[in-house]
Amino acid sequence: MRVLVTGGAGYIGAHTSRLLAQRGDFVIVIDDLVTGNRERIRGLPVIQFDIANGSASQLAELMREHRIEAVIHFAGQKQVAESVAKPAWYYEQNVGSVAQLLLAMESAGVAKLVFSSSAAVYGDASGAISESAPTTPINPYGATKLVGEQMITASSQAWPLRAASLRYFNVGGAGAPELGDTQALNLIPICFEQIAAGKPPLIFGDDYDTADGTCVRDYVHVSDVADAHLAVLDALPQAPGNTVLNIGTGVGTSVREMVDSILAVSGSDLPVEVLDRRAGDPAAVVGIVDGIHQLTGWRARYGVADIVESAWLSRQFFSAQSHEES
Ligand code: UDP
């Protein structure tokens, strides 16, 4: 297939672009290269282009020129706190880009789309969450993803678009050390940061209604997430409209279990510090992932140990690189 990957130099985008290229698909990446890094996808064609501020007609031209058959849309902003501070900018970036992309796809006759959505659309829902759970985002980031999904659904009713919106749970790890996420402000990288500074990892609240009192999340390996995109892309002919799918493992892991495994992999004997709850954290968020399994046969292959281990190797890789540079 001839696939255009937006945001293909980013964390999940690069893993997916590499897999597509490895199986012999034609891949072209467009990325504004602000947070994306060309090094991650060495050997693949990259066009530097900012979709949210670019024109749909330019984008359509590019699709025609490269005879694109499908788009995987990763480009976007993904920091919850930043979205709270700069809401209009998040809508411009995350919603504007979907609008431009859909206009371009319709004009160029590209009728397959896989969209990066997020479990953030579920807001503060707690427990095992299926795709039919209410969508009530509690921050602008989640809201922009939901609007993106809605725009895609409406487009799939207006013209022969086949799409899937993938709602990622907690993505982590690295398929290769150089593919790790150096900008994430999530539990695993924050803990590594604390440990590197000789400070105890922090647990935000241990008085939740969960087995060990700490929050439970569904951590899914980025290589599994990348793989899911290929499986869903291949299944689009059997899936009319905009198919919404959870991407997770269906297994919950507590913050305390994660922190213990992070301390173990980094060989640290630092203690753990328990702080108050962080505002807005639901107790447990675990995906029900039967939908993608039924459509494609996909299931996550990696567990939490693989996620933590590969994230650690990636961190080692980047810190060795920054030592060399300094
Ligand atoms: N968390 C924590 N300590 C940290 C960072 C995160 O206890 O240093 C907790 C956070 O409160 C949440 C879980 O780890 O319960 C996952 O947080 P993250 O920000 O990685 O992802 P979220 O599930 O909020 O999208």
Side-chain angles (χ1 to χ4, degrees), residues 34 77 79-94 139-141 144:
V34 174
Q77 307 299 327
Q79 304 293 351
V80 169
E82 189 182 39
S83 81
V84 174
K86 301 199 252 174
W89 188 66
Y90 261 68
Y91 277 83
E92 180 192 52
Q93 294 294 309
N94 287 0
N139 52 59
Y141 167 69
T144 63

Side-chain angles (χ1 to χ4, degrees), residues 5-290:
V5 183
T6 78
Y11 171 54
I12 307 175
H15 281 86
T16 307
S17 299
R18 278 197 184 187
L19 276 189
L20 286 166
Q22 273 164 19
R23 75 170 192 182
D25 285 353
F26 170 83
V27 180
I28 184 154
V29 166
I30 59 176
D31 200 297
D32 65 6
L33 298 174
V34 174
T35 54
N37 180 353
R38 218 185 262 273
E39 289 296 303
R40 284 187 170 132
I41 41 166
R42 221 182 270 174
L44 292 183
V46 183
I47 297 171
Q48 191 168 2
F49 186 86
D50 173 8
I51 309 175
N53 297 304
S55 81
S57 59
Q58 256 179 303
L59 202 50
E61 191 45 47
L62 204 143
M63 291 176 190
R64 282 190 205 98
E65 186 187 332
H66 295 281
R67 292 179 285 114
I68 294 302
E69 297 165 291
V71 175
I72 307 185
H73 181 50
F74 292 103
Q77 307 299 327
K78 61 171 185 182
Q79 304 293 351
V80 169
E82 189 182 39
S83 81
V84 174
K86 301 199 252 174
W89 188 66
Y90 261 68
Y91 277 83
E92 180 192 52
Q93 294 294 309
N94 287 0
V95 175
S97 63
V98 176
Q100 297 297 329
L101 189 67
L102 288 167
L103 287 169
M105 289 176 69
E106 186 179 6
S107 152
V110 179
K112 286 183 183 165
L113 172 64
V114 180
F115 172 57
S116 287
S117 187
S118 167
V121 300
Y122 297 119
D124 57 9
S126 202
I129 301 176
S130 80
E131 289 89 351
S132 58
T135 45
T136 48
I138 52 166
N139 52 59
Y141 167 69
T144 63
K145 288 295 174 185
L146 187 58
V147 177
E149 286 189 6
Q150 289 164 343
M151 212 187 319
I152 293 166
T153 301
S155 299
S156 74
Q157 289 156 359
W159 55 278
L161 171 69
R162 296 218 166 195
S165 294
L166 307 190
R167 295 177 174 168
Y168 311 146
F169 283 70
N170 292 56
V171 184
E178 70 279 13
L179 293 182
D181 192 352
T182 52
Q183 286 139 13
L185 298 170
N186 300 319
L187 175 64
I188 302 172
I190 292 175
C191 286
F192 282 143
E193 208 53 51
Q194 288 284 111
I195 294 167
K199 298 181 194 159
L202 308 173
I203 293 180
F204 299 145
D206 67 352
D207 57 350
Y208 286 93
D209 186 15
T210 59
D212 68 15
T214 68
C215 288
V216 169
R217 294 289 181 272
D218 183 342
Y219 296 91
V220 55
H221 195 293
V222 63
S223 294
D224 280 328
V225 176
D227 204 32
H229 287 77
L230 275 62
V232 169
L233 186 62
D234 293 344
L236 285 182
Q238 291 92 55
N242 178 20
T243 307
V244 171
L245 297 167
N246 285 342
I247 306 293
T249 63
V251 176
T253 304
S254 75
V255 172
R256 191 173 287 279
E257 289 169 326
M258 283 307 271
V259 169
D260 285 347
S261 123
I262 291 164
L263 283 167
V265 81
S266 52
S268 164
D269 53 10
L270 281 163
V272 172
E273 192 174 331
V274 178
L275 303 182
D276 286 345
R277 292 181 178 198
R278 187 175 74 172
D281 277 336
V285 182
V286 178
I288 293 175
V289 291
D290 299 339

